[in-house]
């Protein structure tokens, strides 16, 4: 087994968290270049940590070696969320995942189709105002409305006050989450953290009230009868779903879709994606590959194990870096290029090398729901509008806690004529696509 390059350093003084959180991609790239290895060690969050930035290494961690690891979020997120799947060990996770599976897979995800349609019309019917629009902001408002409507069974138009209150609380809660890793002196006493805990408690109260009021057919009614241990466990999961993580991640992907489609070959990509649902699927895989909303994930080794030829000792953390692994040239030729066709040709069947929604036994339980919704929103935008991202804008990304362009990216939309709009997607036999 090869020796891990890099240093785990001494506790506290050898910690590299500040450097990592300042620019995580720069942190990883610098070491990958220096060591000429995509798997290396360092000390972050004051824990010896093995960084895994190769596609094959991440796949091994998430799939065949997953039983050697526990999830690595409890230490800095548990206080802000309470008991939920994200912090559970293997057996508990198996139980909770089977409860959630019924709610978010197969035909269940179709129950929100008409809600999605209504909210798209509400948020996107006037994008062609003639002015450039800050798209991440527009998408975030839409995604926040969507997640509150789905997970709290709230009708946005008749409950504006509750929507605003929930959004404000989720924002304060979020500020607590982002403050934690930035300080090694975990700021449990800071006013920001205290406010975040208060916001969490208020959100929890709102959820419990909604769970009592719920009526037959509602999503919360389904949650109540899904098989959770008790109502507290059910409510803690609703808290995870309505927190700002989900809308921010969805808005991040929609923003990346908008920007990537507006880059070179705009007309070709848009026309193909408009005509061929399979091509749109490839586009969305490519959006996830190039700009995953979450930089990666964290695990703790519960026993010694080997990944990519390197030993990871028990007690070490393993940080998988989705962004780097999804641009690993060993699997993805021309890794920085937006090439949807790769999913039909050289990368056909390589979806397991993507970790935008995690992978293996602890993959994202909301991924079917998200994929269906992202596809529907992208279809809507492609079908109704053409768009332009005016030149000269700063498109550099920030990474934590959710990736997105550092500056608001302004986008100009133009409504397509009735002739250009097609109400149905068709599978076409385009030689350019299928050859
Ligand atoms: C675009 C939106 C989303 C993205 C990018 C995303 C991404 C992820 C990723 C990367 C993981 C794996 C974390 C890891 O390996 O450490 C994960 C786990 C999880 N996701 Fe999502 N997610 C999204 C939306 C959702 C939604 C809508 C739900 C709820 C319906 C959800 C529920 C969960 C849960 C409960 C887990 C933990 C699974 C476990 O520990 O076994 N996610 N998500």
């Amino acid at each position: 087994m090869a020796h891990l390059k890099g240093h785990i350093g001494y506790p506290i003084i050898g910690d590299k968290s500040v450097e990592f959180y300042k620019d995580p991609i720069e942190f990883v790239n610098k070491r990958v270049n220096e060591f000429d290895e995509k798997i290396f060690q360092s000390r972050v969050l004051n824990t010896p940590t093995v960084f895994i930035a190769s596609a094959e290494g991440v796949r091994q961690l998430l799939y065949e070696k997953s039983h050697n690891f526990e999830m690595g979020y409890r230490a800095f997120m548990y206080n802000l969320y309470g008991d939920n799947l994200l912090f559970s060990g293997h057996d508990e996770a198996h139980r909770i995942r089977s409860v959630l599976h019924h709610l978010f897979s197969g035909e269940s995800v179709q129950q929100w189709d008409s809600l999605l349609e209504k909210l798209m019309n509400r948020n996107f019917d006037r994008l062609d105002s003639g002015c450039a629009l800050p798209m991440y902001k527009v998408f975030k408002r839409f995604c926040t409305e969507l997640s509150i409507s789905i997970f709290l069974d709230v009708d946005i138009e008749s409950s504006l006050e509750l929507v605003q209150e929930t959004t404000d609380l989720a924002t304060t809660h979020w500020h607590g989450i982002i403050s934690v890793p930035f300080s090694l002196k975990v700021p449990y006493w800071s006013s920001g953290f205290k406010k975040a805990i208060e916001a969490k408690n208020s959100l929890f109260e709102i959820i419990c009230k909604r769970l009592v009021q719920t009526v037959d057919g509602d999503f919360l009614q389904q949650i109540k009868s899904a098989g959770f241990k008790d109502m507290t466990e059910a409510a803690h999961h609703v808290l995870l779903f309505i927190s700002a993580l989900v809308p921010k991640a969805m808005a991040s992907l929609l923003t990346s879709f908008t920007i990537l489609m507006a880059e070179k070959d705009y007309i070709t990509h848009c026309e193909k994606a408009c005509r061929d649902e399979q091509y749109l699927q490839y586009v969305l895989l490519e959006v996830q590959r190039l700009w995953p909303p979450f930089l990666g994930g964290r695990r703790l080794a519960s026993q010694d194990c080997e990944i990519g030829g390197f030993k990871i000792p028990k007690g070490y953390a393993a940080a998988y870096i989705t962004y780097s692994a999804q641009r690993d040239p060993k699997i993805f030729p021309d890794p920085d290029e937006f090439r949807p066709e790769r999913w039909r040709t050289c990368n056909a069947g390589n979806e397991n090398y993507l970790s935008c929604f995690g992978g293996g036994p602890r993959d994202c339980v909301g991924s079917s729901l998200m994929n269906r919704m992202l596809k529907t929103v992208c279809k809507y935008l492609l079908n109704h509008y053409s768009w332009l991202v005016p030149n000269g804008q700063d498109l550099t990304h920030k990474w934590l806690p959710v990736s997105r362009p550092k500056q608001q990216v302004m986008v100009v939309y133009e409504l397509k004529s009735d002739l250009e709009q097609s109400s149905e997607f068709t599978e076409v036999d385009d030689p350019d696509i299928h050859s």
Side-chain angles (χ1 to χ4, degrees):
M1 231 180 292
H3 181 68
L4 276 168
K5 294 195 179 158
H7 306 283
I8 57 164
Y10 291 110
I12 311 284
I13 53 168
D15 194 89
K16 300 289 177 206
S17 300
V18 173
E19 186 191 343
F20 176 75
Y21 284 104
K22 200 168 152 208
D23 188 340
I25 293 302
E26 168 68 19
F27 177 94
V28 170
N29 286 346
K30 190 174 132 192
R31 286 159 177 82
V32 166
N33 291 335
E34 184 186 338
F35 306 140
D36 199 22
E37 284 292 354
K38 285 183 185 291
I39 300 181
F40 62 87
Q41 60 183 348
S42 185
R43 177 177 289 272
V44 171
L45 291 173
N46 206 21
T47 308
T49 301
V50 176
F51 284 82
I52 304 175
S54 70
E56 187 52 40
V58 173
R59 202 191 56 78
Q60 286 181 16
L61 174 80
L62 296 180
Y63 291 84
E64 63 251 31
K65 301 288 171 77
S66 63
H67 57 281
N68 294 299
F69 295 89
E70 295 294 337
M71 300 299 264
Y73 307 108
R74 178 173 279 271
F76 53 96
M77 283 169 83
Y78 181 82
N79 285 294
L80 285 159
Y81 279 104
D83 264 324
N84 71 41
L85 172 59
L86 208 51
F87 312 120
S88 310
H90 299 299
D91 294 344
E92 274 295 272
H94 185 71
R95 177 183 65 80
I96 300 172
R97 287 180 66 92
S98 61
V99 169
L100 292 171
H101 186 73
H102 294 301
L103 298 168
F104 296 121
S105 59
E107 291 184 359
S108 312
V109 296
Q110 295 171 16
Q111 64 181 299
W112 294 294
D113 286 356
S114 56
L115 168 70
L116 181 62
E117 186 71 32
K118 188 170 149 192
L119 291 180
M120 285 192 303
N121 287 330
R122 176 178 149 84
N123 283 273
F124 302 144
D125 76 330
R126 301 304 310 272
L127 293 181
D128 60 321
S129 60
C131 316
L133 297 172
M135 278 326 287
Y136 178 74
K137 206 169 158 189
V138 172
F139 287 139
K140 204 173 68 175
R141 192 184 56 205
F142 162 73
C143 297
T144 303
E145 288 187 358
L146 187 63
S147 93
I148 293 175
S149 317
I150 292 178
F151 301 123
L152 284 184
D153 289 320
V154 169
D155 175 61
I156 294 294
E157 275 154 20
S158 61
S159 312
L160 286 175
E161 226 172 272
L162 177 62
V163 173
Q164 193 56 51
E165 185 190 357
T166 312
T167 309
D168 292 346
L169 288 168
T171 306
T172 312
H173 180 238
W174 179 252
H175 289 153
I177 295 167
I178 56 180
S179 75
V180 175
F182 283 95
S183 167
L184 274 180
K185 298 180 246 134
V186 186
Y188 289 137
W189 317 275
S190 75
S191 64
F193 194 82
K194 226 176 105 199
K195 278 191 195 147
I197 295 284
E198 283 162 12
K200 172 207 151 188
N201 293 338
S202 305
L203 283 169
F204 197 76
E205 262 175 46
I206 292 176
I207 293 164
C208 290
K209 256 192 220 154
R210 302 287 304 168
L211 277 166
V212 172
Q213 290 164 355
T214 185
V215 291
D216 274 356
D218 279 1
F219 172 68
L220 289 177
Q221 189 64 38
Q222 296 170 32
I223 282 265
K224 267 169 91 172
S225 52
F228 283 107
K229 197 165 61 183
D230 52 33
M231 272 314 102
T232 308
E233 185 178 71
H236 273 130
H237 282 85
V238 178
L239 177 67
L240 175 64
F241 306 154
I242 62 160
S243 82
L245 268 174
V246 170
K248 278 177 188 280
M250 194 179 174
S252 158
L253 285 168
L254 289 171
T255 305
S256 299
F257 164 80
T258 305
I259 296 170
L260 285 168
M261 291 298 268
E263 283 174 355
K264 59 182 182 195
D265 299 331
Y266 167 76
I267 295 180
T268 320
H269 291 313
C270 288
E271 279 182 359
K272 282 185 184 175
C274 244
R275 279 181 293 144
D276 184 348
E277 186 146 347
Q278 184 61 62
Y279 189 81
L280 176 58
Q281 186 58 36
Y282 296 152
V283 164
L284 290 175
L285 285 174
E286 202 58 350
V287 171
Q288 292 173 28
R289 187 183 72 78
L290 286 169
W291 298 111
F294 301 123
L295 176 77
R298 187 170 188 263
R299 299 284 185 275
L300 292 171
S302 46
Q303 49 191 298
D304 288 355
C305 80
E306 185 239 295
I307 296 234
F310 295 96
K311 178 180 166 187
I312 303 191
K314 178 179 174 182
Y316 272 41
Y320 70 86
I321 309 296
T322 298
Y323 172 82
S324 310
Q326 295 187 160
R327 291 183 185 229
D328 185 343
K330 276 201 178 146
I331 303 293
F332 300 106
D334 299 325
D336 299 330
E337 294 292 312
F338 177 62
R339 280 181 36 202
E341 298 84 2
R342 71 169 73 240
W343 293 100
R344 178 183 58 82
T345 55
C346 55
N347 290 118
N350 284 160
E351 285 84 351
N352 279 3
Y353 285 105
L354 293 184
S355 46
C356 176
F357 287 96
R362 302 303 294 266
D363 68 351
C364 175
V365 296
S367 61
S368 302
L369 172 66
M370 280 298 94
N371 280 320
R372 185 177 180 87
M373 295 203 153
L374 285 165
K375 207 167 175 185
T376 309
V377 176
C378 292
K379 271 187 201 176
Y380 180 101
L381 294 173
L382 286 165
N383 221 7
H384 288 78
Y385 296 102
S386 52
W387 62 89
L388 169 85
V389 177
N391 286 336
Q393 301 192 65
D394 178 5
L395 298 181
T396 50
H397 261 65
K398 68 174 229 167
W399 284 104
L400 293 170
V402 177
S403 84
R404 63 180 169 93
K406 277 185 190 151
Q407 310 294 332
Q408 282 289 346
V409 175
M410 306 304 285
V411 179
V412 182
Y413 283 84
E414 196 176 311
L415 196 64
K416 282 185 171 176
S417 67
D418 288 347
L419 262 182
E420 287 171 302
Q421 292 184 21
S422 67
S423 55
E424 287 289 325
F425 271 62
T426 46
E427 299 281 339
V428 290
D429 199 20
D430 180 340
D432 216 25
I433 300 171
H434 296 289
S435 62

